[in-house]
Amino acid sequence: QCVLAGKWTNDLGSNMTINPMSSKCNFDGSYNTSVSDTSNKITESPLVGSQNCTNQPWPVFGFTVNWDFADSVSVFTGQCFVDEEGKEILKTTWLQRLHVDSIKDDWKATRVGFNNFTRLLSKE
């Protein structure tokens, strides 16, 4: 069984926290990216999402991050897996929409990428 709630880190060193799921399979949390193409100071940004409400052991999910420090929004979709060693992995695909000043620049406004997240273990 894979549970989304908790603290996660990805292959770029970005961290996110997903709060416990609501009864309707919605969640919120925060995302602290380690990468940015803006000169603005990176700040933690809110995320909101939902998980498919079936009782599958490896749930599918999606969430949106509204970047507090940049004029852009990202959406992530993915699935939670548990590997052979029992390690939880979130396999995600994302789209980032950047602000552009005219419709002529729309062609360069959307980026796509992939990230794998693993659970951050507490240092107790």
Side-chain angles (χ1 to χ4, degrees):
Q1 182 75 21
C2 196
V3 177
L4 292 180
K7 296 184 182 297
W8 299 86
T9 189
N10 71 17
D11 38 324
L12 298 174
S14 299
N15 295 319
M16 72 174 168
T17 300
I18 296 177
N19 296 322
M21 205 77 48
S22 75
S23 61
K24 296 187 188 255
C25 298
N26 297 318
F27 58 87
D28 63 7
S30 59
Y31 197 107
N32 197 358
T33 186
S34 64
V35 294
S36 174
D37 66 354
T38 178
S39 59
N40 298 342
K41 181 182 186 304
I42 293 173
T43 58
E44 191 171 79
S45 297
L47 69 81
V48 294
S50 60
Q51 170 184 313
N52 190 277
C53 275
T54 63
N55 288 324
Q56 297 295 329
W58 298 335
V60 295
F61 60 88
F63 62 87
T64 301
V65 179
N66 184 5
W67 301 109
D68 280 346
F69 60 91
D71 196 4
S72 65
V73 172
S74 295
V75 292
F76 290 75
T77 187
Q79 187 168 358
C80 188
F81 293 99
V82 178
D83 71 11
E84 301 80 29
E85 287 89 41
K87 185 165 122 180
E88 294 167 298
I89 300 169
L90 306 181
K91 301 281 288 180
T92 67
T93 301
W94 54 263
L95 292 171
Q96 180 184 23
R97 178 63 189 210
L98 305 152
H99 175 269
V100 291
D101 291 326
S102 75
I103 198 166
K104 291 178 187 176
D105 292 328
D106 185 61
W107 66 271
K108 63 181 180 180
T110 303
R111 297 175 177 169
V112 62
F114 307 94
N115 285 118
N116 295 327
F117 292 83
T118 54
R119 190 173 295 280
L120 268 175
L121 302 175
S122 60
K123 298 176 183 175
E124 298 175 20

